[in-house]
Amino acid sequence: MKWILGLILPFLIFSNSLAQNIWKLESTIDFPRLGLISLDNQGFIFLADLEGNIYQFDHTAKEINNFSPARQGALSSLEAARTANIFTFSIDLQEYRILDRFVNPVAENRVPLDQINLAKSATLGNNNIIWFFDEADLSLKQFDFRIRIVQQHQPLNLILNQSSLDVQDMREYQNMLFLNIRNEGIYILDNQANLLKTLPIKLDQKFSFWKNFLVYSNEKKLILQNFMTGKVETVPLPDNLSVKEVWVNQYSVIFSDGKRVFIFSKSNSPLAEY
């Protein structure tokens, strides 16, 4: 009996391992001029092209809506995860825009040069606030887009005095501000711009979050790092897929190779329990 169990048990473990690593591809979106990707909390996928046009798809790859701005220009930020609004920002145009869930503009304007000289990065915060990183004076600025006034100004070189301050990406999530600084890592600040912690991750992708995880790809692995505890979990990527970015919502796991978007079922994936 023992020798039979010895033969069966490894097979069961191996079979279970295979089952856990199965990915189910649902649909693909061909998008050769892909700029940015974002997901909302209703299961929709938002893609921006290199001219700043935005396209909304469902998880079956059906296009639902689209928006074309009057001034064309590549977007630096595209955020759709908030319940009511979609946020975009363009470094080249020095413009921000807030759209509703049907990609209709709600607020749009140029960055006010009398208060923010050179916006390098931006993210939508709570209570009608946009966070800007002003590269001209190396400061973080909270800007109320309704009254168009900077309400808070924090010199970032005083908060991170040993940093190059080469900010590649910025995102407010769960009432915290995440900064990706080139070749240094992820700095996490509170909503008053006080430093909370640092994650030593050299991230070359846009911020992607799922629950308490920072989600990204590295070689052949999908990585979920709990930004509260620092714990890292990994799962294999789908076979024969070149991955540049990964995104997760309650319905799907989305991968991109830079020209195509691959939509996998979350419930039939290694992330089903996350």
Side-chain angles (χ1 to χ4, degrees), residues 54 67 78 84-88 97-107:
I54 301 172
F67 167 75
L78 172 63
N85 294 318
I86 301 162
F87 173 76
T88 71
R97 181 174 285 107
I98 297 170
L99 306 102
D100 65 19
R101 307 316 300 172
F102 306 101
V103 293
N104 299 308
V106 174

Side-chain angles (χ1 to χ4, degrees), residues 115-116 129-132 139-144 149-155 159 190-194:
Q115 301 177 72
I116 302 167
I129 291 296
I130 300 173
W131 284 97
F132 285 106
S139 65
L140 288 172
K141 295 177 178 178
Q142 280 189 352
F143 176 73
D144 188 321
I149 292 177
V150 170
Q151 294 190 325
Q152 186 174 336
H153 171 239
Q154 297 282 356
I159 303 168
D190 65 17
N191 60 2
Q192 298 299 313
N194 300 301

